[in-house]
Amino acid sequence: MLTLYGVTRSRASRIVWLCHEIGLPFKQVPVIQAYRLPDPDAEDAPLNTHSAQFLKLSPQGAIPVLRDGDLVLSESLACTLYLARKHGQPFGPADADEDALMLQWSFYACTWLEPDALTILFLHRAGQAQPGADQAAVAHAAERLIRPLRVLEDHLSRHGHIVGRRFTVADINLAEVVRYAQSHEALLSQFPALQAWLADCQSRPAFRKMWQARLAEPE
Ligand SMILES: N[C@@H](CCC(=O)N[C@@H](CS)C(=O)NCC(=O)O)C(=O)O
């Protein structure tokens, strides 16, 4: 049985979503981010990314971590790509070309999109940037996202999906990163094909199951 270390309110969500798509059972150990706890080093603190026990699995002190037999894997996108490749189509690659494109788009997500999308997630609460420095940071992040989102818009308007004209792990990896910027309606509304694709991804039963689990966790 797979073991997933990390609460669902983290990048573990990508792995949870994919497992539900494939129908893969897994055990989840709810390691929480240290920064979300008042005193992560307290003796009675829940298992968190500072816990000595967890640091043996992740010296970086980051969730998620996936264990599959003797394999211990960190980096959420490596975890989803590994599971997709292992379990094959439809979510995994049909051949080496698809495999390469899934890697390409996943790297695209975490390099060109994720840092600025995370700025929006953390600073653009309730659809509004807070005054002062936050507003400037959100505006800058949104500006920087226009070009990579335009690339995605163009790709999705021509192909419908990220790779292989079907829903795959690459859609999950991209959709989970684009979601971080979703509260910025003025930004996303410039990209109608992207918005329609994201809505389709998020209407999937496996996404909804993951989302329910997230909502059930404490904020
Ligand atoms: N590139 C890594 C990033 C992992 C990461 O930053 N995880 C966050 C939660 S989503 C974390 O564990 N933060 C721990 C902390 O700041 O205490 C991945 O994709 O897995």
Side-chain angles (χ1 to χ4, degrees), residues 11 14 77 106-123 137-138 140-142 144-145 148 176-178 180-181:
R11 290 174 177 86
R14 305 160 182 186
L77 299 180
S106 300
F107 283 120
Y108 191 81
C110 67
T111 53
W112 293 109
L113 296 167
E114 194 169 54
D116 291 311
L118 278 173
T119 299
I120 292 176
L121 178 76
F122 287 122
L123 301 182
V138 167
H140 185 60
R144 284 168 49 95
L145 282 170
E176 278 297 89
V177 171
V178 174
Y180 298 154

Side-chain angles (χ1 to χ4, degrees), residues 86-104:
K86 180 170 177 176
H87 293 276
Q89 291 190 65
F91 307 108
D95 53 32
D97 286 10
E98 281 197 3
D99 194 30
L101 289 169
M102 287 174 183
L103 285 168
Q104 174 203 285

Side-chain angles (χ1 to χ4, degrees), residues 145-171:
L145 282 170
I146 287 179
R147 188 184 173 113
L149 291 180
R150 194 178 290 137
V151 170
L152 264 185
E153 170 75 9
D154 179 55
H155 182 79
L156 289 166
S157 59
R158 285 183 295 116
H159 302 285
H161 286 100
I162 303 293
V163 175
R165 295 189 181 273
R166 66 183 190 284
F167 180 87
T168 69
V169 65
D171 294 276

Side-chain angles (χ1 to χ4, degrees), residues 36-53:
R36 293 176 56 197
L37 296 172
D39 185 0
D41 302 318
E43 250 177 50
D44 60 350
L47 187 61
N48 67 79
T49 51
H50 277 191
S51 304
Q53 192 190 337

Side-chain angles (χ1 to χ4, degrees), residues 6-15 31-36 40 48-50 54 58 60-65 73-79 110 114 118 122 180:
V7 290
T8 312
R9 285 183 187 268
S10 76
R11 290 174 177 86
S13 59
R14 305 160 182 186
I15 303 167
V31 182
I32 190 167
Q33 296 93 331
Y35 71 80
R36 293 176 56 197
N48 67 79
T49 51
H50 277 191
F54 178 67
S58 165
Q60 180 65 26
I63 51 173
V65 170
L73 203 55
S74 58
E75 291 303 324
S76 57
L77 299 180
C79 296
C110 67
E114 194 169 54
L118 278 173
F122 287 122
Y180 298 154

Side-chain angles (χ1 to χ4, degrees), residues 198-213:
L198 190 59
D200 275 358
C201 290
Q202 294 179 348
S203 69
R204 296 179 69 86
F207 174 87
R208 287 172 185 269
K209 193 171 170 187
M210 175 279 283
W211 199 251
Q212 286 309 314

